[in-house]
Amino acid sequence: MPVPLVRPRPPRLSQAVARLRTIEDSGVFSNFGPVNTEFEHDMVARMFAGQGACLTVCNATIGLMLAVRQAIGDRPTLGQAQGVPARPRYALMPSFTFAAAAQAALWCGLTPLFCDIDPTTWTACAADEERLLARHGSDIAVVMPYATFGYDLDLARYAALTRRTGVPVVVDAAASLGTRSADGRGFGAGFGGLIVYSMHATKSFSTGEGGVVYSADLDAIARLRQMSNFGFGQPRTATMPGLNGKLSEVGALLAHLRLGEYDDVLSHRTALMRGYRQALPELTYQPELPGTQAHQFAPGLLPPALARCRGEITAALARQGIGSATYFSPHLMQQDYFAEHGVGHGLPVTDDVASRIVSLPLFDGMTRLDLIDVTTTVRRELRRAMRGGRRASRGISPPVLPALVQGAAHDRLPVQP
Ligand SMILES: *Cc1c(COP(=O)(O)O)cnc(C)c1O
């Protein structure tokens, strides 16, 4: 049986006909209707410990555009004077992320300024962020960390950064709905900056299209709500920058249904990721923290000696029916468009991590047998690549692969979610 990288399984509208009919009968199809309001309320209660507020958006990219635009305010570009070319204002972000973050910054008239990442968590490197903040000062309009693959980023550090420098923070947490810290609070709860989550079909909180912006700052969310409704601060009168970022009532219904089934989804995904860690210790993963990390797929790093075999390995997996990808390779600075419209120098850790990353299958309907199939096939291909490498390098000894963990890893997984 082929095993794709992801097999989206949003809630089935066909099994929620009564609730669909309620929407049809209500005559309210968008504009923060009752289903949307109920979803936002339940989201805050269940994911954010009842603290703060959230706003649905039609997708996370629009959510990022709104959040960045609000964070930087209506201030004119610095240095703008007659005849003097405007100095660029920067959005500081890691290059190891998805295009959406840089695109959102560019839509807001900012220049992406790329920093390096931490070699273990693959999130923005604190020291490199500080170096760039010290160097560019107030030319940095916003800091945009990425909670890499749902990793529980240290938000206290970013709150302190805003207090110290005055620079606002917008977190791209596209994959993070469901990530919880050890105390059970959802990732982001209580954070005073803006955090943007995605509900795209391929994310673990899968609905199709949609997103959520969260903040502990109620005024910020209220203003974003107006911005996402054409900037109408008064009835049909724009008082601020705006666009249409609203989620439909049917979209909100999908999100509400997903919220209801999400605990089971998360524990299945957690078990799958644990299975990877145990059955494929040859790969390097993000650190496992005491809470829960939402997993969109299973990312791991190949041993350094196998980086140049990555294409062969993924091609061999594809021939055996196993889907894989290389998020985020090429990283943003390696894409011509962002290299041309952004700034970034010396990203050695990003280059290394991007060169070795592979994303392996993980999805709601993935079974224990699928996992065994994937991990045994990956191991076989790693071995093959090692042997090839040994022949090619003649006498230079290849790295020793850690001993294999047999069986145990798979036994705790549910056969069917
Ligand atoms: C998926 C993703 C986005 C975009 O989310 P959409 O809801 O599809 O717009 C942004 N950033 C990252 C890191 C993502 O993975």
Side-chain angles (χ1 to χ4, degrees), residues 59-61 64 97-98 100 146 172 174 198 200 203 209-210 296 328:
N59 62 62
T61 308
L64 285 166
T97 187
F98 187 57
Y146 166 41
D172 180 350
S198 174
H200 187 262
K203 303 294 198 263
E209 290 281 4
Q296 180 182 1
F328 296 98

Side-chain angles (χ1 to χ4, degrees), residues 143-273:
V143 177
M144 296 178 70
Y146 166 41
T148 311
F149 305 131
Y151 189 79
D152 188 5
L153 197 66
D154 179 6
L155 291 176
R157 181 167 77 75
Y158 285 102
L161 184 153
T162 298
R163 278 196 302 275
R164 180 166 47 84
T165 63
V167 181
V169 173
V170 171
V171 183
D172 180 350
S176 299
L177 278 179
T179 292
R180 288 178 189 278
S181 52
D183 65 7
R185 282 155 44 104
F187 174 74
F191 184 64
L194 296 166
I195 312 195
V196 183
Y197 308 83
S198 174
M199 305 193 288
H200 187 262
T202 57
K203 303 294 198 263
S204 31
F205 199 97
S206 168
T207 68
E209 290 281 4
V212 169
V213 187
Y214 169 86
S215 179
D217 179 345
L218 302 184
D219 291 341
I221 293 296
R223 192 177 138 89
L224 271 183
R225 193 180 298 283
Q226 296 176 335
M227 285 178 74
S228 77
N229 186 33
F230 313 103
F232 286 164
Q234 289 158 19
R236 285 179 300 286
T237 304
T239 59
M240 63 189 85
L243 45 68
N244 181 358
K246 291 173 301 210
L247 185 67
S248 72
E249 284 286 271
V250 174
L253 173 57
L254 277 163
H256 200 247
L257 293 168
R258 188 64 170 171
L259 188 60
E261 69 189 21
Y262 203 46
D263 285 348
D264 291 343
V265 166
L266 276 179
S267 44
H268 180 63
R269 286 174 173 260
T270 301
L272 288 169
M273 192 64 210

